[in-house]
């Protein structure tokens, strides 16, 4: 049994030469509270050393990223990632975590 919030585990795929475009939507019937911030943070594998932070554009209906390929191509492998939602009441949640992969 686990207690507390358990983030979704997934693989973030970056394609060389392709922009990274991604949206996260809240569960149906809910919205993202005002003043919420969302960050996609890349870490050196097995470490808390931050390689890059990509802030999302946040609205009540989505957290969205559009990152140019020139920036996305700089993320080295191996790397891990986490997506943090930081709510206006001070609560911080890791919603996603996992490894970064490249697809040719």
């Amino acid at each position: 049994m686990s207690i507390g919030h358990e983030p979704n585990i997934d693989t973030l795929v970056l394609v060389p030469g392709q922009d990274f475009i991604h949206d996260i939507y809240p569960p149906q019937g809910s919205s993202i509270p005002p003043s919420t911030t969302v960050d996609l943070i890349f870490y050196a594998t097995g470490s808390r050393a931050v390689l890059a932070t990509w802030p999302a554009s946040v609205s009540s209906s989505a957290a969205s990223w559009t990152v140019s390929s020139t920036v996305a191509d700089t993320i080295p492998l191996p790397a891990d990632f986490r997506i943090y939602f930081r709510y206006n009441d001070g609560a911080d949640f890791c919603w996603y975590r996992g490894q970064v992969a490249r697809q040719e």
Side-chain angles (χ1 to χ4, degrees):
M1 174 170 130
S2 95
I3 297 174
H5 175 74
E6 182 67 30
N8 296 305
I9 299 173
D10 212 337
T11 301
L12 188 147
V13 178
L14 297 174
V15 178
Q18 178 175 296
D19 295 345
F20 175 78
I21 300 170
H22 188 73
D23 301 308
I24 296 176
Y25 302 99
Q28 187 160 346
S30 63
S31 62
I32 299 173
S35 302
T36 298
T37 61
V38 181
D39 291 312
L40 169 53
I41 303 175
F42 295 92
Y43 299 94
T45 295
S47 161
R48 294 294 290 169
V50 175
L51 301 172
T53 299
W54 296 350
S57 173
V58 181
S59 70
S60 63
S61 60
S64 304
W65 291 268
T66 300
V67 179
S68 74
S69 63
T70 57
V71 173
D73 288 349
T74 66
I75 302 300
L77 293 183
D80 296 329
F81 79 95
R82 292 182 183 202
I83 297 176
Y84 289 99
F85 277 65
R86 293 180 172 94
Y87 296 100
N88 59 3
D89 65 359
D92 294 343
F93 290 98
C94 178
W95 273 30
Y96 287 88
R97 69 178 179 87
Q99 295 182 328
V100 179
R102 292 235 190 260
Q103 182 179 33
E104 297 295 329

